[in-house]
Amino acid sequence: MSAVNILKFGISSPGDTSPLAELKRAGYDPSQILAVIGKTEGNGCVNDFSRTLAAVAWEPLIPKDAITIFSGGTEGVLSPHVTFVVREAGGANTGLVAAVTRTRAFKPHEIGTRTQAAGVADEVGRVLDRPGFGDAKLVLVKCPLLTSAKIDAIKVQGRVPLTTDTYESMALSRYACAVGIEAALTYIKDKDDRHSDSVLDSLDNKDSPIWSDYASCSSGAELEDCHILVLGTSPVPGKIRAISSTMRDAIDATPILTALETIRQEGGEVLQVFAKAEADPSGAIRGRRHTMSTDSDIHGTRHARAAVGGLIAGLTGDTQIYVSGGAEGQGPPGGGSLCVVYRVP
Amino acid sequence: MSAVNILKFGISSPGDTSPLAELKRAGYDPSQILAVIGKTEGNGCVNDFSRTLAAVAWEPLIPKDAITIFSGGTEGVLSPHVTFVVREAGGANTGLVAAVTRTRAFKPHEIGTRTQAAGVADEVGRVLDRPGFGDAKLVLVKCPLLTSAKIDAIKVQGRVPLTTDTYESMALSRYACAVGIEAALTYIKDKDDRHSDSVLDSLDNKDSPIWSDYASCSSGAELEDCHILVLGTSPVPGKIRAISSTMRDAIDATPILTALETIRQEGGEVLQVFAKAEADPSGAIRGRRHTMSTDSDIHGTRHARAAVGGLIAGLTGDTQIYVSGGAEGQGPPGGGSLCVVYRVP
Amino acid sequence: MSAVNILKFGISSPGDTSPLAELKRAGYDPSQILAVIGKTEGNGCVNDFSRTLAAVAWEPLIPKDAITIFSGGTEGVLSPHVTFVVREAGGANTGLVAAVTRTRAFKPHEIGTRTQAAGVADEVGRVLDRPGFGDAKLVLVKCPLLTSAKIDAIKVQGRVPLTTDTYESMALSRYACAVGIEAALTYIKDKDDRHSDSVLDSLDNKDSPIWSDYASCSSGAELEDCHILVLGTSPVPGKIRAISSTMRDAIDATPILTALETIRQEGGEVLQVFAKAEADPSGAIRGRRHTMSTDSDIHGTRHARAAVGGLIAGLTGDTQIYVSGGAEGQGPPGGGSLCVVYRVP
Amino acid sequence: MSAVNILKFGISSPGDTSPLAELKRAGYDPSQILAVIGKTEGNGCVNDFSRTLAAVAWEPLIPKDAITIFSGGTEGVLSPHVTFVVREAGGANTGLVAAVTRTRAFKPHEIGTRTQAAGVADEVGRVLDRPGFGDAKLVLVKCPLLTSAKIDAIKVQGRVPLTTDTYESMALSRYACAVGIEAALTYIKDKDDRHSDSVLDSLDNKDSPIWSDYASCSSGAELEDCHILVLGTSPVPGKIRAISSTMRDAIDATPILTALETIRQEGGEVLQVFAKAEADPSGAIRGRRHTMSTDSDIHGTRHARAAVGGLIAGLTGDTQIYVSGGAEGQGPPGGGSLCVVYRVP
């Protein structure tokens, strides 16, 4: 558990690590890095090697127990960048605390299952249980997916893969993480294992989907475990604050406008926005048909990032924002979790 | 020149003409249709046959001198729909007037040239010169493009095509129309041919691009002439009004917010928003890199529509809006023209 | 059952019906058309409106009981064209016979199910049972798919859709048809309902996929029933012949080379090639990884058409061939059915 | 100038360097590597970071003066792999010789110009002039492209970029290299500078395109200089041989069949095939329309690789082949250079 600051910098390509120099100029040492969270310019889907390139470039430069979370896809106006979560020197209270952790590597047949959800729940629960955490504001996870090779490996074992569609495996993995996050938050509330177990059970019950407004999960081929960042408030408020909210659909400007108004009233400035976006699974938004799920040229996650990115960038005037596609369990169907981190004077 | 009303309805597919029945239920006869303007769900690029399908379906159902303008691409949250521009029965003043016209068919080697621009200028000028037009608010044009077959036809004639890139030909055609529109508006202002000619001359002068905030042009393979709709205010104000403005870049929310505030103050409701969007040709928005022009999987026009569509839909709460991609000459570089039509009680 | 000829002509766009004039010049009347089979230049996936445009253009021009089968996707070297199956005037024996039929329209929840398979089996069985059919050489089917709207309609009824992925629904629909075709062919062999029923049962048994080397199925949003064409030899051989075979994987040149050698020896010329292609579901071809199923920018059916189209066009020297993507049950996994129709002097 | 061997191995992802271990098992030391030539699974276009990832992974593992050439795009049946060009230990003659070199880094405004062509010509000429080279069989080049940032940098300097289309810049860069290669080969023939200069001059003369059947050029964002590999025969024949030829269009199977027949007669086995492919710029192949240049969802280079890859893989039975898209100046329009390297017993 550390008091942290948030800084972000543009990148000229996925492998660009020049922000490290900018971080140093801002007075931070690489050893203070807890997490590097990036938006890179691949398709954000299965064969997005921009994420891998970024991970390969950054991992040697950060502490061994720090994590990377690279989310592909800067559709529309979104601008490639990295966000650093850095420990404040001397442990000075900033108001914002964070912790990072990793699950074990998951075997191909575990991806998208209760095993993955439980693994994430355990790690998130462990973090939230630590003293020094006020309220959880955002749980950001990077999780694995199924490639053709992994699907084949599952079949070779005589098992039936959850899906044979590599793109769909990304959604299943995200959903498992989101359920795990919700289970952990449920557990923290009342410390009753039965309640959090019942959340985990819901993974296999398609009729009653659940979600967490604090979850933001992104899958990729560049890892086999889950990288987890938990952001929260410190028990004693400070100058860095966070507003967690939920977009109820992809055109729901209200929570953003409300957050921006709060920040304006407090004289603050936005440090970063973290938002999830998805194509409404009903095929419509407020009763009007969208075409994100029938467009066989562009996957729905790309459409959703572009649209929600356009909205949030327009409202904040900032294109270096973290908008991630595929919000299964990370907000209501068609909507997505939203977290705005800001600093007051 | 006719006093007109604006109505819009969702479509279930590009060939869906059921809005005709809805129009009738709203009290209008098909003979009153001046224009059918649609957003269809193709890629909005060269091989977008959703536009052609819509044109084939609608053209037999509307008056011979009415026009169709189908713009492909409902990326992100945008919802496929058609907008009718209909003559008000009995010539009752609505406050909004419109006229439609067509240029002659352009030969392949004329597309994107001063010839096309001058043809558009002539037609638009003729319309604007008619009595009964107050201020022009929007000139909407559907224009042709170059297919491989047309490029080859140009070469066979021993001519050098303006471009051998079919997608780029869409931009050249849109720009020629926009220059034509600006030339016509310049002429209307002072009736000095030298001024409007100098606007047309600028087509070949890449160093001094010009633009019209009233132009909205969309190209397609489904026609060889230009279909032109001019919307304006009637000399005597009525209950239907229009605000013309300009987004200075793709995240410029201000003109939309300002228009919506004006409409709110007048107690009005939005009938339709017409917006143009493009990938900033500098490769950056407000100094921050975008990736719309280096994404070889999705063309920039698709990215731009998704982003600007997300912003406007979020602010209006409406996904059935006309957002068209490729704003060459239709607003400042990286920005685009904007026209909001609304009705007051 | 009719003795038929096969003619093909290029098209300049999906809505181009000028081949009708060419057919007339070749001495045939439109009333002789049994089927118009086309390759159009859309993406061949869910939102391929080139197929719909072609169907809308052709259906008014052909006899009421004739059928259209438009398969989208002319990736790589493939050239858009239509193939006519026409009744020979005066019933003169050509050696090739054909019949066309349609199933009833299927409800959304029936798509991909045993109900659809049984419906196809019934129709194909009825055709094959008619006197005048020698051997079946090819059963070509156009079948429906699930759009977002249809998936939602299924959910509204309280049913669980077979899939919520519109692209995947195309594969399920093709497979149901292929199983239906195999069931019909099984029935014709021994007239034992138990055997053909057991084929139909296999639809729900993922562990034992079955296939028919005579099946070629293509799905689309442009229809709700199945359009079926059965091609076979007449009991008395004639000058038009057909070789049915199977590509065992997407690089299996042998059956094509073998067929071409037979035709060469008989002094014949190829009239048309009908081939199915797919991304090997194992993720590898002859043990070497392919990337068709992990490419989130281009669907596997598009990749497969391009590759197999390149091979067959290279061997025949002809790019106006019918290569269709998605060969579930239409050849062994990763391979596809192949039928070469040719004429001898 | 070194006697070389050619070995190839599959890769599980662009960053997979496990073939190094396979190379060692085959008896070679990494210090013997002259070049690593790979096909990686990106889109092969501007934002293909699979090439960069591969370069980042391999460059630390190979000698400082060795080069990497990664060509993106394994469409259709093509299988990701790397090909090693390795010095034979002890200088034993293999029959095949190779040399690698690099030009200086080119400034953005030099890309696609005579300056780049001349730089390539100089380097290739220097290599071919060395003693020990019999006939040149293939000149493989990896060259830079223009990103949005580079185009903007050119404009900022007050220069007019050759193109503002990043994808088109890839073609211009490839063509400049091909012209440079042809100039070098012309110079080697008669050592007359005027002749090679006139080849270079042709770069700016669009009316008389020239080409080299020995050129194979691929562009990417991962480098700023040109990486050059020249393969040739040694003056004394050995067991490794190469056949250089040209596909006259994308369905021209003859040169492949002819080469394979020669190899069969010599009892040899194919080590690697190097082929270039492109969408015929006329929009047709043998008079029949293709749609590779009007498909706004998939770039022509991707289509061409898939089709030609399908043909060559079908004929050789091997999917680990080097098929590269965009053959400007690397074979006749619509065709491409072809080089088959094989070993006899």
Side-chain angles (χ1 to χ4, degrees), chain D residues 46-57:
Chain D
V46 179
N47 65 330
D48 180 351
F49 299 106
S50 71
R51 290 182 308 237
T52 315
L53 177 57
V56 163

Side-chain angles (χ1 to χ4, degrees), chain B residues 195-216:
Chain B
H195 291 170
S196 51
D197 277 1
S198 115
V199 170
L200 291 176
D201 290 344
S202 70
L203 188 71
D204 299 317
N205 184 354
K206 289 194 176 180
D207 289 341
S208 65
I210 57 152
W211 67 82
S212 166
D213 294 340
Y214 300 91
S216 176

Side-chain angles (χ1 to χ4, degrees), chain D residues 4-48:
Chain D
V4 295
N5 192 4
I6 298 260
L7 299 96
K8 69 181 176 185
F9 303 99
I11 50 176
S12 63
S13 78
D16 177 15
T17 57
S18 65
L20 199 65
E22 300 194 65
L23 185 71
K24 287 178 189 165
R25 275 196 290 277
Y28 292 91
D29 187 82
S31 66
Q32 290 170 267
I33 296 174
L34 269 182
V36 184
I37 304 160
K39 284 299 307 179
T40 60
E41 61 205 277
N43 61 23
C45 305
V46 179
N47 65 330
D48 180 351

Side-chain angles (χ1 to χ4, degrees), chain A residues 95-150:
Chain A
L96 191 72
V97 296
V100 297
T101 181
R102 281 193 184 91
T103 64
R104 67 167 171 84
F106 291 107
K107 301 206 178 83
H109 73 271
E110 294 173 334
I111 292 173
T113 65
R114 200 184 194 286
T115 303
Q116 182 185 352
V120 169
D122 280 355
E123 289 299 325
V124 174
R126 216 186 316 269
V127 165
L128 292 174
D129 235 1
R130 293 187 204 163
F133 238 111
D135 283 323
K137 287 297 180 180
L138 179 69
V139 183
L140 208 60
V141 179
K142 185 79 207 177
C143 52
L145 57 75
L146 290 177
T147 58
S148 291
K150 287 189 175 183

Side-chain angles (χ1 to χ4, degrees), chain A residues 11-13 41 74-77 79-80 251 253 285 288-289 291-292 295 298 302-303 306-307 310 314 318-320, chain B residues 11-13 41 74-77 79-80 251 253 285 288-289 291-292 295 298 302-303 306-307 310 314-315 318-320:
Chain A
I11 50 175
S12 63
S13 77
E41 61 204 277
T74 56
E75 290 81 5
V77 298
S79 184
I251 60 171
I285 300 172
R288 291 178 165 181
R289 187 167 73 98
T291 61
M292 298 187 258
D295 184 338
I298 304 181
R302 302 201 76 180
H303 278 289
D318 183 2
T319 60
Q320 285 177 352
Chain B
I11 50 176
S12 64
S13 77
E41 60 204 279
T74 56
E75 289 81 5
V77 297
S79 183
I251 60 171
I285 299 172
R288 292 178 164 182
R289 186 167 74 99
T291 61
M292 298 187 258
D295 184 339
I298 304 182
R302 303 201 75 180
H303 278 290
L315 295 180
D318 183 1
T319 60
Q320 285 178 353

